[in-house]
Structures are given as structure tokens and as C-alpha cells.
């Protein structure tokens, strides 16, 4: 025997956990602690019948409402609202559990789960939603039992059948939910969190670079974007996002580049689909060298940088046409001086080193070779910790410490190039990425953020040079390999996020429209076929008739007695709510019913049946009349 | 409906007794009458002081039958029940003195206190309906009903009836405590043992014999219900916890008891309800459980089975 109350209480705790988990990390301290405590209390208090009195819950609720209403303002809308919901849930959990309160608590748990989507849209949501849906329906059915028959204590068999019937409902509803999924409009980013979250914290790249600045290089492992494409060579994996072209107070920043009619020559065509993770990104990442972004509505800059549209959340996926191993050249001339301005604070030793190396060399290409030679001989190594900082960071890096990260490499190299009179600029973006063989895409995380250099060589155009490659340990450190197994595991898990992104988040209104068009076209197609159907009807009818005949022959025909009994059972059940269990006799079933008609039917019917004789015509007539009377007479 | 059945005053005896003398005792009373009508015997398992003797006495009085009683002890001899042959000096010959068994209704109190030899003599007489002593066969009176009682709580110094012998009893039942109201009434009005002696018979001997005959031949058992009984019987045989299920005799007895029940209800045909009602008292004590399951409540097990077997309704 099970007490329905206890089951309901456990289910409510479960629902609260499901509502709380996805929301937990976005809650303030009070609700974050209050809900788990309330759940634990509710779980153990139910056995001892402890509960907060209704009026105290009311006072607490009002207090919570006032507390959060005061925090509510134009800039802070969602947070207080969601936290208030959470607190209400906690109060309901510790409060008395009338059926009404049960309902409220379940609904609050559902609201909490819904509230979490304002902060985050992760695949986990579907899991929580489905779990909560099942808990919800089972609870509703049990709740109905509790309010209609409080004393009812089902045994394990009954409970199993109740729960299985309850579980059937969400299963039946599932196709409808999927159908609605394709119809209803949806948001592509968490409405609240996506707009308010600071941009740089997720992209891993920054809009300015300065030697000796600590922390501008990112080491986070959260995914920035995924790129669906075929597998590329490692040296082709330069993901271009931003170009830093001028220097202000020793800091490399981006200014509007001078007009330049750039064109991309040679190289191999690559098409990629990029799926951005939610978060703000100032410039859309592309693959070096990007030809164009299909459907891009902004104005691409002349140096092949694509600023993200104003409402940055708007674009979550796009297709890029790019060329690998291509040269970026310019039709006509452009302001080369813009790319020659050297930093004010350049280490003297670097200046002299460069001056010595390039004296007498006139060809730009050879100058570049000479400078590359300097760096190759310097015996620098790549590191991401213990880096030189401060005003003399560059000198420190090149001549003393001899270790640094990509920013130091790029800044010093670009500085050297500018000293040698070669127009150059820094390119920020990402290098590398883990290829998911399973689904065919690259995962690029924050830690892949990288900075390299583009240098202008007359006759060749902008050439990509990655100075970090001069590091003696470049291969190990920049393109360092994870152990195969952990990488595979991570990528397999990532596939889930990828498909979620692809199928749910970026599934937009256009796709909905085109799906609708396809469906309506499908219907039109059916209308055309219908004419043919008419001709084919006889042929289709034949198997149908055969099937019908087969059914008629094989199904046991009901005797008049069986029909009469079925009618009697139906009517009596509808009228008096009598349940005819297969293991109880008719007299037994109607024993408690004081109704002359019902008694008469049962007596006459059983007298014939259990004497092993068929009902006579007159008896059938009479019994049918009795059943009609039962149906018409309302219960007293 | 058969008129002779409807008019038989046996049908009135249960309400008559229950109303005036044995309040709240319809069920054991009815089972005893059913045992009487089918020629079977009844074993009442319950604590002392719940009115077993009163029930037997009242039944005997109301039926106008003779009544005998044996209080079993461990030194009770078979001849203490059946009777013995003595030498009569006046007639100068041997004479058989009939024991208490030569009564229509015999109350055997605490049958498990008698030693097996005595038990077996009694059970044999119950089965054969006759006693053989010193080469002479004496027939027992007709009708003949043994009401045996057993105290389930006392086990010291007893010889519990072997499971195989349980089959000889048509019905095993308990008395149970009466309802609160009825028990208060009984306490207030005191024991009715004296009043019972003065109960006037409501039926005569012929009517009882007629009733027994009607049950045997005048009640129709539908083929469907024979199937139903068979389903119950086989279900016990196939049950995982049961070592030996209901025997064929058990099935026959259930059909007979159901017929008697129909007769008492004034019907000339058996309803599935008759069978369902009597299945537990008639069959539960015949189930022999597998080792490890001896303590399982056999009545509960049978009731559970009955809720799973569908009743033929058409």
C-alpha cells in the first residue's frame, strides 16, 4: 500500500530539483540556498507532517515580493522576477500541501525552468523539460486521485497501472509538441543573458593589444564557435576576426582602415557554415581569407573584417565562402603610410638590429626574409605564463626572457617590419581547432585565440606571417595535442551541442517558412493526384473489401446476450458509476445498488445464463426495455 | 423456480437463529448448514469462548436433531467416541453402548488434543458414516454433521491434524469476534446457553432429508461455472507457492457447497457468486504450501487468485 500523499510529495521535490538545477547558477545567494534547503525540508518533513502554517507562508511571500519589487528597475527586470519565482517555490515547498498548493508548487517549478531559458539555451533544457513534463503529468493524475479519494491507497499493481497511464499522456502529446516546435517562433539566444553579457568574455579576442598587458590572452576552454566544413590542413586553420592596424600609446588598436580595393587571388575554394555560441562578438570570425559571407547585411571593411550586426544576437549562423592559401592583393594603390607608423616606445636594440639587417636591401621581399631571419635566430620560445610585463616588456621578451605568447611575437614582428619600412598589421582571430570527425566540424574555443601578422609586399599583396612559428617550441605549445581519448570524448559530447545549435537555436523563421511552403506544396501535389485516385479506386477498393471480409469472418460475432450485457454495463456505469471488474459476478457488482431495474435485469439475465440456456426473444425485448429505463431514470 | 425449494423451511433457519439467538453469527451458521446439507463436516478454528458450542447446540435444537459432544484430551480413546461393548448380566450377553458419535450433530471440541489414533477413528467414522465394533456394523444417524473445533493459539501437547486429513472437512472457518454493537448486546444480555435448550425445532426430520436430496439433485450447475471451478482448481495447482493444489474432491466439494448455498438462497441454479463466496472456506485449508511458504496466509492467497480469474458472464 502506498500513500498517494507521500508519492506526490516526493514527486514535488523531484519537480523542484528539475526546476532549480538549470536556474541555479544564475540565482542570487538567497534563492540559491533557499530552494535546496526547502527541498530537503519538504522531503523529510512530509513523513513527520511538518509544514509552515499557511498564514506564515503568506507573510513570507509578501515579504519576498516587496524585497524583489524594490530591486526591480528599468535595467534589472528579469533577475528579480526570476528570483522571486524561486523564492515563492521555496516557500510553497515548506508550506502546507493542500492540492491547490501542490498545483501551485508544480507550476512554480515549471516557471523556474522556463525562467532559466532567459539566461541560457542549452540542450540540457530539453532534458529538464521532458523530465518535468513527465513528473508533472504523473503528479496531476495522482493529485486528482488524492482530491477525489483521499483515503485511496493503491497497492503496487494499481500504482503501476496509474503511473503507466499517466506516462502515456506526455508520450501521446510528444508528436504535437514536435509539430509545434516547427511552427512557433523562437528566440535564437537567451533573451536576457544574451543581450547583457559582456562581449569579450566569451570571444577570447580583444579589440586592442599591448605588449606587456597581462591577461589579454585567453585560456578559457568554452566554445566560441563551430565551423562545419571538410577537414583542412593545420596551416590553413587561421580564423580571421579582426585586424589591428594602428598604434596609439604603444597599444595596437583598430581604426577605420584606409580605402583599399582588396581582391583575393588563387587558392582553393572552401565553404563553411559557422555556428556562433551565444554571446557578444564584435567581429564575425571567418576563415583566412574570406571571400564573402552569404546573406551578410552589414558593411564589410576593406581589410576583410566583418563587423557583427548591431543586434549581435541576431546572427547565430552564417555561411562563408573563403579561399585557403590565397593572396590578398589590392587593385590600385592605397595609403601605405597608414601601415608604417612605428610605435613610439621601441626597444633600441631591436631598432639597431633591424637597421643592421636591412641596410642595403631594396627589395621588400628580401627585407622580410632578413627580418624573419633575425627572429629565427633569436631562439625565442612560446609560453603563456611567466610573461614579461610593464613598459619594457617587448625588450625584455626579445633579449632577456626570450619567451612570450602570440601577442608579443606578433607585436615585435610587426614593429620590426614597420621599422624596416614594410607596411604591416596585426590580425586577431583563432588558430587551429579540434575537428569532430563524427559530425564534420571544427570546434574553436577561447584558448585558440591567436594573433598573427600581415605584411604588404609589392607584387604579392598582403602576406600572412605567423611570427609565433619562430618559437622553437611552436608545434608543441600552440598546436598542442590533447590525449586522444579525452579529446574524442569531449568532441563526442560537443556533437550534442552542435546539433542542438544547428537544429534548434539557429532554426529560424525562414526555415519555418520554407518548411511550411514545402508542406503546402506537398498538399497541392496530393490534390493533383486525386484525379488519378478516382480511376484507381476500384483497384484500391478490392484489397479493402477483402480485408473487411477477412475481419468479418475471423472476428467472433457477439451473441445477443453479449451485446445486451455490454449495453447494460455501459449504461449502469454511466448512470451509477459501477465498475464491473472481470472477476466479480453481476449480483456482486450491483449488490450495493438499490435499484429495482438493475436488480431485475441481473436476476433475469443470470437466471437464463447460469441455467445454460439462451435468452428468449421476449426476455431480450424485456431486458432491452429495462436497460432503456435505467438509462432514462436519473439516480435518486 | 422449483417450488419445493422455495418452500423448504431450512432456508429460514439461518435468519431465524441469527436474529433471535446467535446475533452476528450468520456466516459460521450458514457454513454449518451448508456442511449439513452436503453431508460434509466443518472445522472451526478459533479461540475458546467465541460461541462454538452455543452455535452447535442452537443448530441442533432448531433442526430438532440430537446432539452429542466430545471434549478431546490426550487420553481420549476411540471407544470413548464410538461406544463400546459391555457384558450385560441381566441378558447374559454382550451389548453395544453407543458413544456420542451416534448423534445427528457431534461437537468435537479441540480435536487436536486427541491422539492420532482417536482422531483417525473419528475421521474414518465421518467418512464412512458408520462404526464397526466387534464385528458388528452400526450406521450413524442421517443427517450426520461433525463440528470440530481447533484452538490455533495453543500448540503444546497437541496433535495437529495432518494436512492430508484436512481434506476430510468440507469447510474450515473461524468464528471471529462479533461486531462491537452485537458484542455489547451479548455482554449485556448474558450467556444464552440456557435459552438454547428451549429453542423449538422449525423443521422436521423429513424436511431436512428432503433438503439434502434437493441440493444433490435439484440444483443446476452451469457448464460455464463448472469451467470456472476448474479454472480455480488448476490455478491453485499451478501457483508458484503451492506444492499441492486443490484435489478433484476439493472441486466436487466446492460445487456441492455452491449448490447448497444456492438452495439456501431459494435458487435452483448456481451463481458464480455462490462459488466465489465459498471458495475460501471450502478450499483454503486444502492447499499444501511449498517449503518456505508455510506461513503464507492461504485464505489471502486464494482470495488474490479469485480476483484474477474472470467470471463467465455470458
Amino acid at each position: 500500500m502506498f500513500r498517494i500523499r507521500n508519492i506526490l510529495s516526493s514527486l514535488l521535490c523531484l519537480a523542484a530539483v528539475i526546476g532549480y538545477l538549470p536556474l541555479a547558477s544564475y540565482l542570487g545567494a538567497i534563492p540559491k540556498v533557499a530552494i535546496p534547503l526547502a527541498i530537503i525540508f519538504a522531503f523529510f518533513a512530509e513523513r513527520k507532517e511538518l509544514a509552515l502554517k499557511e498564514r506564515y507562508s503568506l507573510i513570507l511571500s509578501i515579504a519576498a515580493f516587496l524585497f524583489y519589487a524594490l530591486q526591480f528597475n528599468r535595467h534589472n527586470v528579469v533577475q528579480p522576477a526570476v528570483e522571486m519565482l524561486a523564492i515563492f517555490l521555496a516557500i510553497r515547498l515548506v508550506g502546507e500541501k493542500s492540492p491547490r498548493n501542490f498545483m501551485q508548487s508544480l507550476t512554480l517549478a515549471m516557471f523556474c525552468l522556463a525562467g532559466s531559458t532567459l539566461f541560457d539555451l542549452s540542450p540540457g533544457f530539453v532534458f529538464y523539460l521532458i523530465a518535468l513534463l513527465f513528473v508533472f503529468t504523473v503528479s496531476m493524475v495522482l493529485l486528482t486521485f488524492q482530491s477525489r479519494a483521499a483515503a485511496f491507497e493503491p497497492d503496487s499493481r494499481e500504482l503501476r497501472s496509474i503511473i503507466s497511464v499517466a506516462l502515456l499522456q506526455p508520450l501521446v502529446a510528444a508528436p504535437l509538441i514536435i509539430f509545434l516546435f516547427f511552427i512557433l517562433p523562437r528566440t535564437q539566444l537567451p533573451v536576457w543573458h544574451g543581450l547583457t553579457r559582456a562581449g569579450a568574455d566569451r570571444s577570447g579576442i580583444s579589440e586592442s593589444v599591448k605588449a606587456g598587458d597581462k591577461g589579454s590572452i585567453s585560456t578559457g576552454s568554452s566554445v566560441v564557435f563551430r565551423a562545419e566544413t571538410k577537414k583542412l590542413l593545420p596551416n590553413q586553420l587561421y580564423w580571421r576576426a579582426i585586424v589591428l592596424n594602428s598604434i596609439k600609446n604603444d597599444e595596437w588598436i583598430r581604426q577605420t582602415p584606409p580605402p583599399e580595393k582588396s581582391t583575393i587571388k588563387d587558392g582553393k575554394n572552401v565553404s563553411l557554415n559557422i555556428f556562433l555560441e551565444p554571446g557578444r562578438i564584435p567581429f564575425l570570425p571567418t576563415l583566412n581569407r574570406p571571400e564573402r559571407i552569404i546573406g551578410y547585411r552589414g558593411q564589410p571593411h576593406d581589410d576583410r573584417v566583418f563587423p557583427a550586426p548591431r543586434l549581435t544576437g541576431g546572427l547565430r549562423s552564417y555561411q562563408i565562402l573563403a579561399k585557403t592559401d590565397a593572396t590578398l592583393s589590392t587593385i590600385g594603390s592605397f595609403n601605405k603610410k597608414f601601415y608604417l607608423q612605428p610605435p613610439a616606445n621601441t626597444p633600441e636594440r631591436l631598432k639597431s638590429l633591424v637597421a643592421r639587417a636591412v641596410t642595403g636591401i631594396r627589395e621588400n621581399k628580401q627585407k622580410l626574409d632578413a627580418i624573419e631571419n633575425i627572429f629565427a635566430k633569436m631562439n625565442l620560445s612560446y609560453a603563456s605564463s611567466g610573461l614579461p610585463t610593464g613598459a619594457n616588456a617587448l625588450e625584455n621578451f626579445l633579449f632577456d626572457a626570450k619567451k612570450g605568447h602570440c601577442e608579443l611575437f606578433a607585436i615585435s614582428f610587426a614593429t620590426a617590419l614597420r621599422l624596416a619600412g614594410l607596411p604591416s598589421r596585426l590580425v586577431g582571430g583563432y588558430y587551429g581547432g579540434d575537428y569532430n570527425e563524427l559530425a564534420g566540424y571544427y570546434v574553436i574555443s577561447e584558448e585558440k585565440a591567436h594573433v598573427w601578422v600581415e605584411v604588404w609586399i609589392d607584387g604579392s599583396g598582403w602576406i600572412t606571417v605567423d611570427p609565433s612559428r619562430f618559437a622553437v617550441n611552436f608545434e608543441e605549445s600552440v598546436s598542442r595535442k590533447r590525449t586522444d581519448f579525452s579529446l574524442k570524448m569531449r568532441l563526442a559530447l560537443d556533437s550534442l551541442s552542435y546539433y542542438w545549435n544547428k537544429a534548434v537555436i539557429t532554426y529560424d523563421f525562414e526555415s519555418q517558412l520554407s518548411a511550411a511552403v514545402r508542406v503546402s506544396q506537398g498538399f497541392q501535389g496530393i490534390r493533383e493526384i486525386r484525379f488519378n485516385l478516382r480511376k484507381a479506386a476500384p483497384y484500391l477498393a478490392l484489397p479493402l473489401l477483402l480485408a473487411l471480409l477477412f475481419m468479418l469472418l475471423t472476428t467472433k460475432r457477439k451473441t445477443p446476450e453479449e451485446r445486451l450485457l455490454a449495453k447494460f454495463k455501459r449504461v449502469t456505469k454511466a448512470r451509477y458509476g459501477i465498475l464491473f471488474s472481470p472477476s466479480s459476478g453481476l449480483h456482486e457488482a450491483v449488490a450495493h445498488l438499490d435499484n429495482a431495474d438493475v436488480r431485475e435485469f441481473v436476476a433475469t439475465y443470470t437466471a437464463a445464463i447460469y441455467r445454460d440456456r439462451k435468452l428468449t426473444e421476449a426476455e431480450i425485448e424485456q431486458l432491452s426495455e429495462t436497460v432503456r429505463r435505467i438509462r432514462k431514470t436519473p439516480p435518486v | 423456480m422449483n417450488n419445493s425449494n422455495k418452500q423448504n423451511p431450512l432456508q429460514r433457519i439461518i435468519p431465524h437463529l441469527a436474529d433471535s439467538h446467535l446475533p452476528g453469527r450468520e456466516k459460521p451458521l450458514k457454513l454449518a448448514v451448508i456442511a449439513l446439507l452436503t453431508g460434509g463436516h466443518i472445522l472451526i478454528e478459533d479461540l475458546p469462548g467465541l460461541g462454538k458450542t452455543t452455535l452447535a447446540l442452537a443448530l441442533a435444537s432448531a433442526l430438532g436433531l440430537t446432539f452429542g459432544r466430545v471434549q478431546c484430551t490426550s487420553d481420549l480413546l476411540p471407544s470413548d467416541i464410538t461406544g463400546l461393548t459391555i457384558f450385560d448380566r441381566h441378558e447374559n450377553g454382550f451389548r453395544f453402548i453407543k458413544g456420542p458419535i451416534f448423534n445427528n450433530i457431534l461437537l468435537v471440541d479441540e480435536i487436536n488434543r486427541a491422539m492420532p489414533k482417536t482422531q483417525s477413528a473419528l475421521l474414518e467414522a465421518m467418512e464412512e458414516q458408520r462404526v464397526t465394533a466387534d464385528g458388528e456394523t452400526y450406521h450413524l444417524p442421517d443427517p450426520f454433521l461433525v463440528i470440530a473445533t481447533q484452538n490455533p493459539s495453543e500448540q503444546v501437547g497437541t496433535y495437529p491434524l495432518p494436512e492430508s486429513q484436512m481434506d476430510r472437512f468440507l469447510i474450515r472457518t473461524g468464528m471471529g469476534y462479533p461486531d462491537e454493537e452485537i458484542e455489547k448486546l451479548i455482554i449485556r444480555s448474558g450467556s444464552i446457553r440456557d435459552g438454547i435448550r428451549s429453542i423449538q425445532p422449525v423443521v422436521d426430520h423429513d424436511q431436512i432429508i428432503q433438503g439434502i436430496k434437493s441440493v444433490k439433485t435439484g440444483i443446476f450447475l452451469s457448464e460455464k461455472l463448472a469451467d470456472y471451478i476448474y479454472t480455480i482448481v488448476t490455478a491453485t495447482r499451478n501457483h508458484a507457492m503451492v506444492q499441492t493444489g486443490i484435489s478433484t474432491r476439493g472441486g466436487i466439494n466446492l460445487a456441492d457447497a455452491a449448490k447448497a448455498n444456492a438452495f439456501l438462497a431459494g435458487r435452483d441454479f448456481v451463481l458464480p457468486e455462490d462459488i466465489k463466496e465459498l471458495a475460501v472456506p471450502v478450499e483454503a485449508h486444502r492447499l499444501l504450501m511449498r517449503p518456505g511458504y508455510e506461513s503464507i496466509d492461504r485464505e489471502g492467497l486464494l482470495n488474490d487468485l479469485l480476483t484474477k480469474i474472470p467470471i463467465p458472464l455470458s
Side-chain angles (χ1 to χ4, degrees):
Chain A
M1 292 292 163
F2 295 91
R3 286 189 64 202
I4 288 196
R5 258 194 87 83
N6 290 350
I7 306 167
L8 267 176
S9 154
S10 308
L11 279 176
L12 178 60
C13 291
L14 187 60
V17 169
I18 297 172
Y20 170 74
L21 280 182
L23 194 60
S25 53
Y26 305 103
L27 289 175
I30 305 172
K32 200 176 203 166
V33 178
I35 293 190
L37 288 180
I39 291 172
I40 293 166
F41 176 84
F43 191 76
F44 291 105
E46 178 61 27
R47 305 260 134 119
K48 296 175 183 157
E49 315 231 327
L50 285 175
L52 194 65
K53 285 263 177 333
E54 190 65 37
R55 56 175 177 281
Y56 298 126
S57 322
L58 190 66
I59 293 169
L60 268 179
S61 304
I62 293 172
F65 178 79
L66 287 178
F67 177 72
Y68 285 108
L70 288 178
Q71 294 188 4
F72 189 86
N73 62 38
R74 203 151 53 86
H75 306 292
N76 196 8
V77 184
V78 171
Q79 194 72 31
V82 170
E83 288 190 5
M84 187 156 68
L85 278 178
I87 287 289
F88 281 171
L89 176 61
I91 293 173
R92 268 283 163 258
L93 280 173
V94 298
E96 287 171 1
K97 308 240 177 13
S98 64
R100 178 168 162 273
N101 290 359
F102 258 124
M103 256 316 286
Q104 283 184 357
S105 318
L106 283 172
T107 316
L108 280 170
M110 191 64 109
F111 281 168
C112 281
L113 178 63
S116 76
T117 59
L118 296 172
F119 300 101
D120 188 22
L121 284 180
S122 69
F125 174 72
V126 173
F127 168 74
Y128 290 122
L129 183 69
I130 290 172
L132 193 55
L133 191 68
F134 279 102
V135 172
F136 203 94
T137 29
V138 172
S139 304
M140 294 315 285
V141 172
L142 288 176
L143 203 57
T144 317
F145 270 99
Q146 205 212 345
S147 63
R148 295 300 291 249
F152 175 56
E153 292 191 0
D155 59 27
S156 59
R157 194 177 51 85
E158 286 168 324
L159 188 71
R160 217 167 349 178
S161 71
I162 291 172
I163 289 179
S164 55
V165 167
L167 285 179
L168 217 62
Q169 296 177 16
L171 281 184
V172 171
L176 187 68
I177 295 171
I178 291 167
F179 176 68
L180 288 179
F181 170 82
F182 289 103
I183 297 233
L184 293 180
R186 88 249 0 250
T187 162
Q188 293 191 0
L189 75 166
V191 173
W192 186 245
H193 221 54
L195 293 180
T196 53
R197 187 145 46 177
D201 68 340
R202 282 301 286 273
S203 64
I205 55 168
S206 49
E207 292 175 61
S208 66
V209 167
K210 185 180 178 186
D213 248 9
K214 229 184 168 181
S216 58
I217 185 128
S218 182
T219 51
S221 62
S222 55
V223 174
V224 183
F225 65 93
R226 297 183 179 82
E228 184 188 63
T229 181
K230 61 184 187 201
K231 197 164 183 178
L232 300 167
L233 295 172
N235 63 0
Q236 294 171 335
L237 290 175
Y238 283 93
W239 306 95
R240 182 191 186 97
I242 187 174
V243 171
L244 304 174
N245 48 23
S246 46
I247 300 159
K248 193 175 171 192
N249 303 332
D250 285 334
E251 192 172 9
W252 286 76
I253 55 163
R254 175 168 182 79
Q255 284 184 351
T256 315
E260 130 182 48
K261 273 190 187 155
S262 60
T263 155
I264 291 172
K265 278 193 285 194
D266 309 327
K268 269 176 261 159
N269 281 323
V270 185
S271 163
L272 308 99
N273 284 317
I274 305 275
F275 297 92
L276 290 179
E277 275 293 289
R280 230 153 52 117
I281 248 176
F283 299 97
L284 300 179
T286 60
L287 186 71
N288 216 19
R289 323 272 191 170
E291 193 93 75
R292 62 194 178 94
I293 294 180
I294 290 171
Y296 178 67
R297 294 202 179 87
Q299 188 62 46
H301 291 182
D302 286 347
D303 50 2
R304 302 278 159 164
V305 166
F306 297 83
R310 198 35 72 196
L311 184 65
T312 44
L315 198 61
R316 305 303 341 153
S317 79
Y318 47 88
Q319 191 187 354
I320 304 171
L321 296 181
K323 279 184 172 159
T324 53
D325 310 313
T327 50
L328 179 68
S329 61
T330 302
I331 301 166
S333 62
F334 67 102
N335 182 8
K336 287 178 192 152
K337 286 218 173 74
F338 181 80
Y339 294 107
L340 283 169
Q341 175 211 2
N345 182 14
T346 312
E348 288 302 322
R349 287 159 80 181
L350 181 63
K351 271 188 194 166
S352 57
L353 212 59
V354 171
R356 231 181 306 140
V358 297
T359 14
I361 300 177
R362 307 200 57 174
E363 283 288 314
N364 280 352
K365 182 81 182 81
Q366 282 160 358
K367 280 185 184 172
L368 175 64
D369 288 344
I371 291 168
E372 282 185 345
N373 212 8
I374 299 175
F375 274 77
K377 280 181 184 161
M378 270 189 167
N379 208 16
L380 299 168
S381 63
Y382 196 94
S384 50
S385 59
L387 303 174
T389 53
N392 294 325
L394 217 52
E395 182 161 3
N396 198 344
F397 157 64
L398 286 172
F399 304 104
D400 302 330
K402 291 203 179 271
K403 60 178 185 176
H405 54 54
C406 60
E407 287 182 9
L408 286 167
F409 276 96
I411 291 173
S412 50
F413 194 74
T415 306
L417 289 174
R418 287 195 173 190
L419 289 173
L422 296 176
S424 52
R425 58 194 186 189
L426 300 187
V427 183
Y430 307 87
Y431 171 69
D434 300 316
Y435 193 68
N436 189 332
E437 306 267 3
L438 228 62
Y441 66 92
Y442 280 97
V443 192
I444 290 91
S445 50
E446 280 177 50
E447 61 191 340
K448 305 283 181 198
H450 192 58
V451 180
W452 62 94
V453 171
E454 273 183 349
V455 54
W456 176 266
I457 304 292
D458 290 325
S460 307
W462 290 102
I463 291 174
T464 296
V465 182
D466 187 357
S468 301
R469 285 183 184 273
F470 299 124
V472 288
N473 58 347
F474 175 78
E475 280 307 320
E476 304 95 85
S477 49
V478 174
S479 57
R480 65 181 174 279
K481 294 252 181 331
R482 264 174 253 264
T483 55
D484 247 13
F485 181 70
S486 86
L487 180 69
K488 264 184 192 152
M489 280 305 291
R490 212 174 62 101
L491 287 178
L493 285 177
D494 190 76
S495 304
L496 188 69
S497 291
Y498 167 73
Y499 285 120
W500 167 254
N501 240 327
K502 196 174 164 180
V504 179
I505 302 281
T506 60
Y507 183 87
D508 61 358
F509 187 63
E510 273 176 40
S511 321
Q512 291 179 5
L513 261 185
S514 64
V517 167
R518 269 202 303 281
V519 169
S520 79
Q521 278 170 351
F523 277 126
Q524 279 164 12
I526 288 171
R527 205 173 300 143
E528 282 162 21
I529 295 168
R530 194 174 291 165
F531 289 103
N532 298 339
L533 270 180
R534 200 170 285 171
K535 281 179 201 157
Y539 303 99
L540 288 173
L542 194 67
L544 219 81
L545 275 175
L546 281 176
L548 210 68
L549 202 68
F550 181 73
M551 268 165 63
L552 277 176
L553 287 176
T554 48
T555 44
K556 213 174 97 190
R557 287 193 61 196
K558 276 190 176 176
T559 61
E561 287 84 7
E562 280 171 325
R563 274 204 298 274
L564 197 60
L565 181 67
K567 207 156 90 186
F568 167 76
K569 280 184 179 176
R570 206 167 50 236
V571 168
T572 318
K573 190 181 169 190
R575 218 4 124 200
Y576 300 101
I578 285 179
L579 293 171
F580 293 91
S581 115
S583 69
S584 59
L586 287 178
H587 283 283
E588 191 183 354
V590 302
H592 300 293
L593 189 64
D594 191 18
N595 180 297
D597 288 330
V598 173
R599 297 247 158 136
E600 185 203 318
F601 179 95
V602 170
T604 316
Y605 180 83
T606 53
I609 289 300
Y610 297 120
R611 280 195 182 105
D612 278 353
R613 70 172 176 80
K614 287 193 182 314
L615 290 169
T616 62
E617 288 289 326
E619 276 172 333
I620 290 177
E621 188 62 29
Q622 180 211 339
L623 290 180
S624 306
E625 183 54 40
T626 313
V627 171
R628 260 194 296 279
R629 259 205 317 278
I630 296 170
R631 193 176 55 209
K632 280 181 189 155
T633 327
V636 189
Chain B
M1 247 172 234
N2 191 325
N3 278 340
S4 69
N5 282 345
K6 207 164 197 178
Q7 285 166 358
N8 199 312
L10 268 173
Q11 289 149 11
R12 290 200 310 272
I13 197 156
I14 294 160
H16 173 70
L17 275 179
D19 287 350
S20 55
H21 299 96
L22 298 163
R25 289 294 179 228
E26 287 91 344
K27 196 184 157 219
L29 197 56
K30 188 177 182 185
L31 292 174
V33 174
I34 286 171
L36 178 79
L37 285 172
T38 53
H41 307 284
I42 179 168
L43 174 67
I44 300 179
E45 257 186 15
D46 222 323
L47 304 170
L50 288 174
K52 291 175 294 219
T53 313
T54 314
L55 178 101
L57 270 173
L59 192 62
S61 304
L63 293 170
L65 297 173
T66 59
F67 176 77
R69 178 177 174 173
V70 178
Q71 179 66 48
C72 293
T73 56
S74 54
D75 54 359
L76 187 78
L77 293 171
S79 59
D80 292 338
I81 296 176
T82 55
L84 72 166
T85 314
I86 55 163
F87 182 73
D88 192 329
R89 265 195 313 152
H90 299 292
E91 293 182 13
N92 204 12
F94 287 93
R95 185 158 66 89
F96 183 70
I97 306 280
K98 287 181 176 177
I101 202 167
F102 289 90
N103 281 302
N104 293 115
I105 295 182
L106 174 67
L107 176 67
V108 183
D109 246 338
E110 305 204 70
I111 189 171
N112 54 338
R113 294 210 168 272
M115 54 185 171
K117 189 179 177 184
T118 312
Q119 283 177 2
S120 120
L122 173 67
L123 293 167
E124 195 189 324
M126 278 160 57
E127 188 71 12
E128 305 286 323
Q129 290 245 10
R130 63 185 180 197
V131 169
T132 306
D134 301 322
E136 199 72 44
T137 298
Y138 305 95
H139 282 275
L140 295 179
D142 195 27
F144 176 61
L145 169 69
V146 172
I147 302 177
T149 74
Q150 214 172 211
N151 183 351
S153 69
E154 278 182 37
Q155 297 297 329
V156 180
T158 63
Y159 307 94
L161 286 176
E163 301 281 350
S164 55
Q165 300 285 24
M166 295 294 257
D167 210 14
R168 308 224 180 233
F169 286 96
L170 178 84
I171 285 168
R172 185 195 64 171
T173 184
M175 290 292 282
Y177 293 104
D179 289 345
E180 185 186 333
E181 287 303 316
I182 292 170
E183 192 162 10
K184 280 181 191 164
L185 183 80
I186 295 169
I187 291 167
R188 208 165 59 230
S189 54
S191 173
I192 53 155
R193 193 68 71 83
D194 300 334
I196 282 172
R197 299 282 177 200
S198 59
I199 294 176
Q200 290 304 309
V202 270
V203 288
D204 58 28
H205 190 260
D206 282 349
Q207 284 168 326
I208 296 174
I209 300 298
Q210 178 65 38
I212 291 172
K213 215 177 116 195
S214 294
V215 169
K216 200 167 266 172
T217 57
I219 309 287
F220 184 80
L221 178 73
S222 157
E223 231 172 87
K224 304 176 190 83
L225 297 183
D227 287 353
Y228 180 54
I229 293 177
Y230 176 75
T231 316
I232 296 173
V233 168
T234 45
T236 63
R237 290 176 193 163
N238 296 330
H239 197 282
M241 294 181 198
V242 179
Q243 182 166 349
T244 311
I246 298 167
S247 61
T248 308
R249 174 158 64 188
I252 297 170
N253 286 352
L254 180 54
D256 288 347
K259 282 178 184 174
N261 200 39
F263 170 78
L264 288 176
R267 263 183 280 113
D268 65 346
F269 62 95
V270 176
L271 279 180
E273 282 86 345
D274 295 325
I275 296 166
K276 236 183 126 178
E277 186 184 336
L278 289 165
V280 170
V282 173
E283 307 291 16
H285 60 286
R286 299 172 205 251
L287 299 177
L288 200 57
M289 306 301 286
R290 272 188 204 286
Y293 296 110
E294 288 95 343
S295 59
I296 296 278
D297 172 21
R298 289 178 287 185
E299 303 188 352
L301 182 141
L302 201 54
N303 268 324
D304 195 44
L305 271 181
L306 287 173
T307 61
K308 284 176 188 147
I309 299 172
I311 282 180
L313 286 179
S314 55

